[in-house]
């Protein structure tokens, strides 16, 4: 290693004083302006990792679903998987070393990890569409070249595409061609082949609206859609031509707000989906005839895929093991459905793709999904060989067809990591083959009402968990308190865990009704606040206001410009979403409620630029009145 050259170059990518960052669940992530030195150093680290593994290593510049101003970086290991945990520690040490210590820390890592410095190194780089990404990926390249590494810069790629490239390169092209064209061709060919057997259904069935979060997914899907257009027509929304990345759109927004993204027109029963900012997550959703929004999340994706896979597996008669991997956030109904109805074994791991991926590798066929839409299906080498062999050898037509179908499914999944584009094509193929509508898919089971809250504490590391984050072992007394609270509600469950991406503790609760899930989540938050060193304001229970809606038909005809109402109290303004024939719900916090609560309800469009200036509400016989106020 030419340490003098490293020192010189590093001065051009100097670390801001006093800044410490951690290689978290999905790499480094923070404001883009703080990341230049981290990028340079991850270029250095990628070279060391490449030398040590004698393989190509990937570096992806993205901050996924974070706001546009943020950025991030993560390393991709030889088989397209996340960086090994011991190297995450090296990454944190290297990123936080002061300028003068950098050479020593580099040498240290080299020694600790027994890196053969004479070995060649090759690094591939990809980036998302953030304005800061191009410059930051140049800093990665500076790091790679100063240590004498070779590199290939793929430029704009989705995160899963970079994982795919790394996997292809390290398996000498056996997994596929390490080009963007190779990726498009491999997935599209499998999709077209798979859907050939689908009976031709109406046009509607084969059209899908895709919210691309104004991110890289839009660019890549636009390039790719011609390859599979005979099987599926996709309509792109939030394609980056106008809006800001992840702003009021994308999978994370839809999942956490449980409402459609802005910028997409949804007619009832239309199938829609959202990618996140780097296209490694996907969720589906639709409006029913009443205008009610329904989210079809990662748990339901896992349920659809596992039930689909069971049939051809039974048909080929080979006893390949199938397992589903979830996290503690999986809705209790999904676990029950998989175990009791589908009779598939379900396992729970800690949050974060790497944990699920690792567990899924234990099965012949491992289906893994987080509720938030990260996931894929892994086929063991042995299972893949067996299926390919059966597809050639089986005599009986039905059995051979089943094996062929599985063969195409293997090719359609990105086995390096969860991939929104690949998952979308798998889901679309299954729906087409099974002749299922999105509502029929959604009806596989009904989600238990649930609620997530955040609690601020002085040091979130005072909480430690076990049993895949479902039990808190520290601080003393917390788990006992949670157990007591859970006993008060039916079909209830709750857990707490320190976030790996934000400086907060997350609380999850589910129960038989939304009120009970809300109230359990609040009580558990209070226990965390009291027992784990809460700071700032104590958690407040929600005030639920149910609004009776009798709205004129004209309102619904114009509902695209009356998406929301304002609920105005003395202190603050909230919005609530109306739905045809249903009561609307607005959630306020206790601090807004003074002895004499004044409540006004007005359509949002009074102030916004509504083409009808609110007239479609005030005309006609519609009204809104408060039905119930309660905790
Ligand atoms: C990261 C993880 C995601 C996980 C989330 C949890 C990857 C690629 N991403 O985004 O899987 O669900 O973190 O965040 O592993 P939290 O620790 O803040 O709850
Ligand atoms: Mg992502």
């Amino acid at each position: 290693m030419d340490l003098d050259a490293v020192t010189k170059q590093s001065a051009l990518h100097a670390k801001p004083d006093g800044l410490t960052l951690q290689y978290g669940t999905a790499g480094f992530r923070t404001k883009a302006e703080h990341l230049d030195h981290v990028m340079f150093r991850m270029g250095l680290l990628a070279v060391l990792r490449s030398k040590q593994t004698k393989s190509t290593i990937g570096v992806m510049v993205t901050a996924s679903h974070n706001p546009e101003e943020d950025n991030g970086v993560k390393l991709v290991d030889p088989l397209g998987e996340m960086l090994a945990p011991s190297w995450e520690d090296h990454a944190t040490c290297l990123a936080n070393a002061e300028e003068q210590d950098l050479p020593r820390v580099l040498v240290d890592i080299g020694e600790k990890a027994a890196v053969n410095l004479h070995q060649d190194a090759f690094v591939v780089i990809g980036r998302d569409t953030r304005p800061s990404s191009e410059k930051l990926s140049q800093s990665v390249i500076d790091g790679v070249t100063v240590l004498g590494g070779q590199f290939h810069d793929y430029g704009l790629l989705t995160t899963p595409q970079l994982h795919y490239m790394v996997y292809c390169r390290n398996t000498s092209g056996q997994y596929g061609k390490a080009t963007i064209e190779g990726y498009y061709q491999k997935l599209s060919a499998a999709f077209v082949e798979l859907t050939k057997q689908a009976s031709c259904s109406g046009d509607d069935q084969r059209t899908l609206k895709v919210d691309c979060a104004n991110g890289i997914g839009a660019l890549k899907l636009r390039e790719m859609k011609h390859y599979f257009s005979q099987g599926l027509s996709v309509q792109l929304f939030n394609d980056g031509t106008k809006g800001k990345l992840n702003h009021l759109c994308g999978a994370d927004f839809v999942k956490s707000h449980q409402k459609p993204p802005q910028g997409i027109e949804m007619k009832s029963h239309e199938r829609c989906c959202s990618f996140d900012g780097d296209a490694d997550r996907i969720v589906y959703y639709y409006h029913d005839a009443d205008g009610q929004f329904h989210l079809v999340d990662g748990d339901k994706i896992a349920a659809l895929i596992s039930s689909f896979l069971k049939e051809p597996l039974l048909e080929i008669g080979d006893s390949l093991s199938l397992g589903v991997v979830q996290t503690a956030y999986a809705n209790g109904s999904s676990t029950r459905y998989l175990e009791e109805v589908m009779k598939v074994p379900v396992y729970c791991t800690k949050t974060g793709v790497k944990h699920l991926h690792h567990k899924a590798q234990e099965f012949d066929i491992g289906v893994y999904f987080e509720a938030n839409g990260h996931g894929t299906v892994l086929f063991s080498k042995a299972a893949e060989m067996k299926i390919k062999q059966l597809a050639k050898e089986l005599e009986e037509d039905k059995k051979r067809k089943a094996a062929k179908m599985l063969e195409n499914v293997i090719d359609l999944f990105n086995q390096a990591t969860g991939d929104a584009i690949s998952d979308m094509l798998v889901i679309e193929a299954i729906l087409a083959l099974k002749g299922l509508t999105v509502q029929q898919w959604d009806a596989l089971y009904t989600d238990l009402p649930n609620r997530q809250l955040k609690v601020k504490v002085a040091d979130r590391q005072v909480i430690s968990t076990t049993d895949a984050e479902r039990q808190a072992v520290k601080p003393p007394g917390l788990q006992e308190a949670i157990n007591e609270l859970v006993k008060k509600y039916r079909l209830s469950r709750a857990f707490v865990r320190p976030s790996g991406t934000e400086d907060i503790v997350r609380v999850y609760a589910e129960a038989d009704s939304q009120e009970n899930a809300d109230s359990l989540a609040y009580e558990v938050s209070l226990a965390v606040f009291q027992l784990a060193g809460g700071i700032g304001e104590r958690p407040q229970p929600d005030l639920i206001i149910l609004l009776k809606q009798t709205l004129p038909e004209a309102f619904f005809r114009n509902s695209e410009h009356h998406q929301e109402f304002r609920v105005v109290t003395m202190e603050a303004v909230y919005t609530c979403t109306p739905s045809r024939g249903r009561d609307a719900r607005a959630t306020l916090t206790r601090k807004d409620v003074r002895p004499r609560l004044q409540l006004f309800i007005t359509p949002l469009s009074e102030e916004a630029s509504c083409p009808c200036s609110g007239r479609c509400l005030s005309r006609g016989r519609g009204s809104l009145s408060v039905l119930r106020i309660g905790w």
Side-chain angles (χ1 to χ4, degrees), residues 25-26 29 65 74 82 280 329 351-354 370 372 374 497-502 506:
T25 324
R29 228 177 258 187
H65 57 271
K74 65 178 168 191
M82 303 287 173
D280 65 350
Y329 289 107
T351 303
V353 170
K354 62 186 173 204
E370 288 190 308
N372 64 19
H374 270 298
R497 55 176 281 278
S499 158
T501 62
E502 281 181 71
R506 293 198 198 279

Side-chain angles (χ1 to χ4, degrees), residues 6 9 23 32 66 78 110 164 184 221 281 290-291 294 311 326 344 371 476-477 536 551 561 576 600 607:
V6 170
Q9 270 288 322
Y23 196 97
N66 284 39
Y164 163 91
Y184 293 153
L221 190 57
R281 271 168 72 170
D290 291 338
H294 295 263
E311 261 178 56
Q326 304 183 315
V344 279
L551 297 172
H561 47 93
C576 69
F600 306 96
E607 284 164 41

